[in-house]
Amino acid sequence: MTTATAIEVGADIALGALLLWPIRRSLVALASTVALRYRLASLAVLLLLGGGQLLDEREATFPVSDWAMHTESMTTDPRFIEYTAVLEDGREERLLIGTLLPIAGKRLRTRMDQTVYGEAFQSPMHGSAPAEAADDLEAMLTGVVRAYEARHGQAVRAVRLWDVTIPIDPYTGPDSIKRDLLREFHVP
Amino acid sequence: MSGALLHEVASARHLGALRLWVFGMWTLDVAKDPLTDLAAIPIDYFEPVGVLRVLPASLWTILHTPEALGLWWASLIALTALAAAGVRPYRLVAGAACLLLTLYQGVIYSFAGPTHAELAALYAAYALAIFPSADGLSIRHGLGSRAPAPVYRWAFLTVTVMLLSTYMLVGVRRLFLGGVAIFTDGTILRAVVDRSASPDHLNASFGLQVLASAPLTGLVEAGFVVVTVFEVTSLFCLVRPWFRRAWLAVILLFHALSWPLMQTLFLHNILLIGALLVDWDGLARWTRGRRARPSPEGTV
């Protein structure tokens, strides 16, 4: 918790009160007819939300969470890792991780990207990843490949990881997208 | 100023319908993707979040087998379905379902990283376990005493305020952290391009099509501002019906476009919005009124 988040949560409370001000009498009248335990339950729900925002540490406090989306400026070109399957006939298909392992969805793909690149794409490992991380990634990709094969009925020979950067300022079409092969895993 | 509250006529039956909706939604959501799929992910990816950290690490190694995950999955489907049906003892059943749902979401977040996408629906389930939501539309219907009528309205309002507050918190945080710059520095365009092109669900990169069109680029950037304004003022939905309708149009469009543009679908929120912010009784009355009204020619 920081002073800034405390000020922000104070602003949340003030804004909430302001927006509900026109119906305050109806709310108070209704609250007065409800048992104390239910009023406390409602208060607990609101404290859960405000507390999560105040603590701002969702990994440590789950199921209490902060509520944030698109809060930090993105000023660099979009960059991500493309996973492709090389099939037995030589064709190359995209591996849509979120669809192949839907229970963990697209967030799992982000976690995989971090295994390859490290946090925030700052230090690409380019084949020099720690052996343990490389083993985990290989095991993860094996699971993805099995899901692909079960879904499409086609055997996969290898998985390729591409470092993709999309220059957007200005964007001059699909040909301007940069794709560098990072590594290739052969499927056992 | 109108003093009338949204859900003014909410009854035990309405709250029962909400219970059926929320726990039914969770039952289908859990059943859709087998929990056993997590067995394919290396256990080294597992970094316990929040309350899961208080449980011994060895427990997760034991649970990380197709058999144990399958048992957990089946139990969760059964419990959420029983809670949806409102079987007795309701609070015990619904409470157990909420605890298992928390662990379920927690274990997914522990493998893939936490998000708040499903949390409003989880909190709604907790609220419905606490309030007497099995007094209507349940198989225990008719047994035991009912709560005073205002409790059902209060419960509905609690869940609605909770849902709307999550939007408000998101909008306010964006203003506090991003300031004005976040709306003018191309952040949303970069996010759209990044999230629509990454290999998650869709092969078509709609974000690149947006980028190639000046009018679409302008619409996305303007839409980011409009959505933020509506997020920040979400709670006003409880005050003015016209604002609620405008909010529904803007936020539902935002959620619908988030799928092609960001490969993200806030399905739980969309379903909660449908249950809590659409005036179904009013719509039914309006529909009945139109049917009953004779046509100008005197024919029905």
Side-chain angles (χ1 to χ4, degrees):
Chain A
M1 186 179 79
T2 63
T3 308
T5 53
I7 292 169
E8 182 197 322
V9 172
D12 287 324
I13 294 167
L15 179 65
L18 185 70
L19 291 168
L20 296 178
W21 187 254
I23 55 167
R24 66 194 180 284
R25 289 198 180 90
S26 304
L27 285 174
V28 170
L30 180 59
S32 66
T33 62
V34 173
L36 179 64
R37 66 179 184 279
Y38 291 129
R39 277 182 275 164
L40 289 176
S42 304
L43 184 65
V45 170
L46 296 181
L47 286 177
L48 200 68
L49 295 177
Q53 200 73 336
L54 200 59
L55 295 169
D56 195 15
E57 284 281 348
R58 71 175 71 160
E59 293 199 5
T61 58
F62 170 83
V64 178
S65 172
D66 59 290
W67 300 83
M69 214 166 64
H70 307 304
T71 53
E72 288 174 22
S73 284
M74 284 177 75
T75 50
T76 55
D77 286 333
R79 187 178 178 194
F80 55 87
I81 293 177
E82 176 100 285
Y83 300 83
T84 60
V86 182
L87 306 179
E88 285 293 339
D89 60 9
R91 280 185 299 129
E92 199 170 345
E93 298 283 343
R94 290 182 97 200
L95 288 169
L96 300 174
I97 311 293
T99 299
L100 292 171
L101 288 173
I103 190 150
K106 63 188 287 183
R107 294 191 302 278
L108 184 64
R109 196 262 309 158
T110 310
R111 177 68 66 93
M112 290 165 65
D113 287 4
Q114 286 167 359
T115 309
V116 182
Y117 262 114
E119 293 287 335
F121 285 78
Q122 292 303 311
S123 52
M125 292 172 178
H126 286 289
S128 61
E132 197 179 299
D135 287 349
D136 286 343
L137 184 63
E138 198 160 348
M140 185 69 244
L141 289 172
T142 304
V144 171
V145 163
R146 297 289 168 257
Y148 181 90
E149 289 175 335
R151 182 179 276 250
H152 297 280
Q154 287 174 301
V156 175
R157 204 174 64 201
V159 175
R160 288 181 183 149
L161 276 60
W162 300 87
D163 177 358
V164 179
T165 306
I166 305 176
I168 77 158
D169 203 12
Y171 175 64
T172 54
D175 292 341
S176 65
I177 297 174
K178 200 165 148 255
R179 292 174 94 241
D180 294 321
L181 184 63
L182 274 180
R183 59 172 67 186
E184 183 169 327
F185 284 102
H186 290 277
V187 177
Chain B
M1 286 283 177
S2 164
L5 293 174
L6 184 67
H7 307 306
E8 194 69 39
V9 295
S11 62
R13 202 176 162 78
H14 287 89
L15 194 61
L18 184 61
R19 182 209 70 239
L20 203 58
W21 187 255
V22 170
F23 281 106
M25 170 176 91
W26 273 117
T27 307
L28 294 177
D29 183 40
V30 173
K32 176 172 64 69
D33 304 317
L35 198 54
T36 48
D37 285 357
L38 290 179
I41 304 174
I43 192 70
D44 287 341
Y45 271 67
F46 186 83
E47 292 173 9
V49 295
V51 291
L52 275 69
R53 292 179 183 175
V54 301
L55 299 168
S58 56
L59 176 71
W60 304 115
T61 312
I62 295 166
L63 278 176
H64 193 241
T65 63
E67 295 76 21
L69 290 169
L71 191 64
W72 181 359
W73 187 49
S75 312
L76 188 52
I77 292 171
L79 269 175
T80 49
L82 290 171
V87 297
R88 300 178 80 182
Y90 171 70
R91 283 209 169 93
L92 194 65
V93 171
C98 288
L99 284 178
L100 272 192
L101 274 176
T102 306
L103 292 177
Y104 166 81
Q105 282 303 145
V107 83
I108 293 172
Y109 295 162
S110 297
F111 273 111
T115 167
H116 56 66
E118 296 89 4
L119 287 185
L122 183 64
Y123 295 171
Y126 271 102
L128 291 166
I130 293 167
F131 286 100
S133 58
D135 287 356
L137 286 182
S138 69
I139 56 176
R140 57 161 274 190
H141 178 66
L143 299 169
S145 59
R146 286 185 169 218
V151 170
Y152 306 113
R153 295 211 298 273
W154 184 255
F156 246 99
L157 275 176
T158 297
V159 182
T160 309
V161 167
M162 179 274 296
L163 177 67
L164 292 172
S165 297
T166 62
Y167 285 89
M168 184 188 79
L169 293 174
V170 166
V172 170
R173 173 140 297 179
R174 186 173 306 137
L175 292 177
F176 263 76
L177 292 187
V180 175
I182 203 158
F183 301 101
T184 57
D185 63 7
T187 289
I188 194 64
L189 289 177
R190 288 182 173 85
V192 161
V193 170
D194 181 68
R195 291 173 193 194
S196 71
S198 53
D200 296 314
H201 298 283
L202 304 171
N203 265 320
S205 301
F206 292 106
L208 294 178
Q209 292 168 33
V210 168
L211 209 55
S213 156
L216 287 179
T217 301
L219 273 177
V220 167
E221 291 195 300
F224 189 39
V225 177
V226 173
V227 167
T228 304
V229 168
F230 274 87
E231 282 174 336
V232 167
T233 52
S234 291
L235 282 171
F236 205 59
C237 286
L238 292 171
V239 178
R240 292 293 192 188
W242 64 262
F243 181 82
R244 182 168 46 83
R245 289 184 207 111
W247 189 92
L248 281 170
V250 169
I251 297 296
L252 287 178
L253 184 65
F254 153 67
H255 281 315
L257 290 176
S258 292
W259 178 247
L261 294 182
M262 297 211 172
Q263 303 190 66
T264 300
L265 189 63
F266 286 86
L267 188 59
H268 298 76
N269 275 27
I270 293 172
L271 293 173
L272 278 181
I273 288 170
L276 295 166
L277 289 156
V278 175
D279 181 8
W280 294 107
D281 286 325
L283 274 177
R285 278 196 303 276
W286 182 76
T287 310
R288 277 199 300 271
R290 277 182 69 87
R291 279 193 189 144
R293 194 181 306 150
S295 68
E297 291 80 20
T299 55
V300 177

